Amino acid sequence: MIEKKVLRTLTLSILTTLALTSCDNTNKPAEAKSNVPEKTVGSMKIAYVEIDSIMTQYDFCKEYTKILEKKGQNIQATIEQKGRSLQAAAAKFQQDVQANKYTREQAEAVQINLQKQNNEIQMLQQRLGMQFQEETERYNKALRDSISNFLKLYNKDKKYTYILSKAGDNMLYADKSYDITQEVIAGLNKNYKPSKKADGNSELKDSKKN
């Protein structure tokens, strides 16, 4: 569930990034010449990228998905563990009440405490959920910047008017000779520099060559 959600978020992020690219006649990048034949429509030169391939082959996306999936699982496990503990405490309370182990005042105090724990769990779930969403948005921005920065650099030499995104059936037909997916993935992975934290989490960074 978490992984599918992350993949959908990544796809939307990439689709937002791949759009009109500007041509720059200065400063050519040190990238290999394209083997893709030049295709023009009128005065426009176009190409496209397969989003599914970026999702499965771009190291940023692969690591990003694993990190967020693990964080989502940790959040779920934490909430479930606290929920089970509260349920056990509530069950024991009911048994003790039936066994007349509490005075009315004691029973009310236990009930108040159980309600307080329940409220704390709900607040924790909301807080962790917000943190997860914020981290997802942060990684989405990093992903968009990564692709956008690379395409600007890449297109200084290629001079495409449009680089289109192809995901699922959003294009009814695309000539494979327009496909620059593998070039883009190779360039993205070449520029990508992961940085591992000591706690096992990753701050995924893209080396931006301006």
Side-chain angles (χ1 to χ4, degrees):
M1 180 72 70
I2 292 293
E3 182 175 4
K4 290 181 179 178
K5 181 178 179 182
V6 169
L7 289 173
R8 285 197 299 270
T9 304
L10 274 165
T11 300
L12 290 172
S13 182
I14 295 174
L15 286 171
T16 302
T17 298
L18 294 177
L20 177 64
T21 58
S22 60
C23 296
D24 189 334
N25 294 322
T26 63
N27 298 329
K28 294 183 179 180
E31 294 289 338
K33 290 288 185 181
S34 172
N35 293 323
V36 178
E38 292 188 4
K39 294 288 182 177
T40 61
V41 179
S43 61
M44 295 188 300
K45 181 182 174 185
I46 65 175
Y48 74 88
V49 176
E50 291 273 5
I51 298 304
D52 291 345
S53 296
I54 287 184
M55 299 295 296
T56 58
Q57 298 177 42
Y58 183 18
D59 292 339
F60 184 101
C61 294
K62 292 190 289 186
E63 292 199 34
Y64 174 9
T65 300
K66 290 179 182 178
I67 289 170
L68 291 183
E69 181 182 12
K70 184 175 181 180
K71 285 183 177 293
Q73 291 171 346
N74 288 342
I75 291 172
Q76 185 175 350
T78 297
I79 298 302
E80 287 180 351
Q81 188 275 327
K82 290 184 176 296
R84 287 193 298 268
S85 296
L86 180 58
Q87 288 177 350
K92 184 178 184 304
F93 170 68
Q94 291 297 328
Q95 293 175 353
D96 290 343
V97 168
Q98 293 175 0
N100 295 318
K101 292 185 177 181
Y102 295 119
T103 64
R104 174 175 291 185
E105 290 77 11
Q106 290 173 332
E108 289 177 350
V110 174
Q111 283 183 314
I112 291 172
N113 184 56
L114 290 173
Q115 184 60 50
K116 179 182 177 182
Q117 292 182 51
N118 183 61
N119 293 340
E120 289 173 348
I121 291 174
Q122 291 180 359
M123 292 175 62
L124 176 63
Q125 185 174 20
Q126 292 177 356
R127 184 171 72 253
L128 294 178
M130 289 179 62
Q131 290 175 357
F132 183 82
Q133 181 62 32
E134 289 171 358
E135 184 156 7
T136 299
E137 291 173 357
R138 179 168 61 85
Y139 277 113
N140 276 332
K141 183 180 185 302
L143 174 62
R144 290 192 300 269
D145 290 346
S146 171
I147 296 175
S148 179
N149 289 336
F150 173 76
L151 289 179
K152 288 177 183 176
L153 182 66
Y154 172 88
N155 206 45
K156 287 179 181 179
D157 184 45
K158 311 307 177 185
K159 297 181 175 64
Y160 289 111
T161 307
Y162 286 95
I163 298 177
L164 307 176
S165 59
K166 183 177 183 296
D169 296 328
N170 71 323
M171 285 188 190
L172 296 179
Y173 174 78
D175 187 333
K176 286 296 291 182
S177 62
Y178 287 74
D179 189 352
I180 60 170
T181 303
Q182 293 307 314
E183 282 186 46
V184 171
I185 291 172
L188 287 168
N189 283 335
K190 181 179 178 181
N191 288 357
Y192 173 67
K193 304 294 181 185
S195 177
K196 301 293 184 181
K197 283 185 173 182
D199 62 2
N201 293 330
S202 294
E203 290 290 336
L204 302 183
K205 298 180 180 179
D206 180 66
S207 69
K208 300 173 182 176
K209 300 179 180 178
N210 297 322

